[in-house]
Amino acid sequence: VGKHVLISFFPMEDNLFATLSNDITERKKAEAERERIFAELDATINSIADAVIIYSPDGTIARLNPAAEELLGYTPDMLNRPLSERVRDLVVESADGRPFEFEETMRRVFQGEKIQGVLAVLRRSEGKTVWISISAAPIRTAEGKLIGGVGTASDITAMHDLQEQRDLYLHTISHDLRMPLTVIQGYAQIIEHT
């Protein structure tokens, strides 16, 4: 097993040099382990199918996975803009049609609140409507210090469309059942009065 040694040279009088060596094998192992953990974390975040956005405490985007870039249509230039400018380029509404309050949501997260499963509608520039479920939470150190926030957005368009189809079928079936029931009820009233 090889050792890592740090050798330092110090000039002395009469062109002589003194050397000092330290065994830094353990430090090199720790650095390699840290790099492995960061690479693993990076690969994990990049493989998540839902959009993941990690914010610094001032609201700037510190990290964005590929799913978030695709969902939001963010370019590298947009990542450096303030939150108010980034959200201005997005047309996002709450489920009831009001503008979605990104800044208010981030304020709540940075005050320590967790937000889970908020429905929103993203209207893309190419005309596509995407229903999303948004969750967010503060990121804290083990000591409790706030170091950022994380937000996720799940594309639930297929589920929303399925729910709308179900509602339409239920409405149609209940309407179609009402007609024969009305006729039967009318006949029952005639029989009752005779």
Side-chain angles (χ1 to χ4, degrees):
V1 175
K3 284 189 169 191
H4 292 275
V5 178
L6 176 65
I7 301 175
S8 303
F9 294 95
F10 300 98
M12 298 182 70
E13 295 180 20
D14 298 327
N15 291 330
L16 295 175
F17 288 93
T19 62
L20 175 65
S21 65
N22 290 328
D23 184 353
I24 60 168
T25 304
E26 291 304 313
R27 185 172 84 187
K28 286 293 186 179
K29 284 181 185 176
E31 287 174 2
E33 178 63 10
R34 187 182 73 217
E35 287 179 24
R36 185 195 67 75
I37 290 170
F38 282 147
E40 190 175 280
L41 179 61
D42 191 50
T44 301
I45 290 172
N46 283 337
S47 12
I48 296 173
D50 291 334
V52 177
I53 307 168
I54 300 171
Y55 295 93
S56 62
D58 65 358
T60 59
I61 293 177
R63 180 69 198 273
L64 191 68
N65 74 346
E69 290 175 3
E70 182 180 332
L71 179 70
L72 302 174
Y74 277 177
T75 62
D77 171 58
M78 294 174 82
L79 300 179
N80 296 322
R81 291 200 244 158
L83 178 64
S84 59
E85 287 183 31
R86 286 194 316 269
V87 298
R88 186 177 56 224
D89 293 337
L90 295 173
V91 179
V92 182
E93 301 168 345
S94 61
D96 61 5
R98 291 179 291 124
F100 187 81
E101 300 290 336
F102 275 107
E103 291 174 338
E104 172 62 18
T105 301
M106 292 311 297
R107 184 192 62 72
R108 289 170 45 202
V109 167
F110 287 127
Q111 288 180 345
E113 187 177 340
K114 289 183 181 180
I115 296 167
Q116 192 169 8
V118 176
L119 293 179
V121 182
L122 172 64
R123 304 209 188 271
R124 307 259 316 233
S125 58
E126 73 274 7
K128 183 178 179 184
T129 297
V130 181
W131 282 82
I132 54 177
S133 174
I134 298 172
S135 296
I139 301 173
R140 297 188 182 279
T141 64
E143 296 79 32
K145 180 183 176 194
L146 180 72
I147 58 170
V150 61
T152 63
S154 302
D155 183 345
I156 60 165
T157 306
M159 191 176 0
H160 178 268
D161 291 348
L162 189 61
Q163 179 69 36
E164 281 189 338
Q165 288 176 2
R166 185 189 80 116
D167 292 347
L168 179 62
Y169 289 141
L170 285 175
H171 176 74
T172 302
I173 289 169
S174 66
H175 180 267
D176 289 349
L177 285 175
R178 253 186 254 128
M179 287 303 292
L181 288 176
T182 303
V183 172
I184 292 170
Q185 185 179 18
Y187 284 131
Q189 287 174 355
I190 291 172
I191 292 172
E192 186 179 291
H193 292 297
T194 55

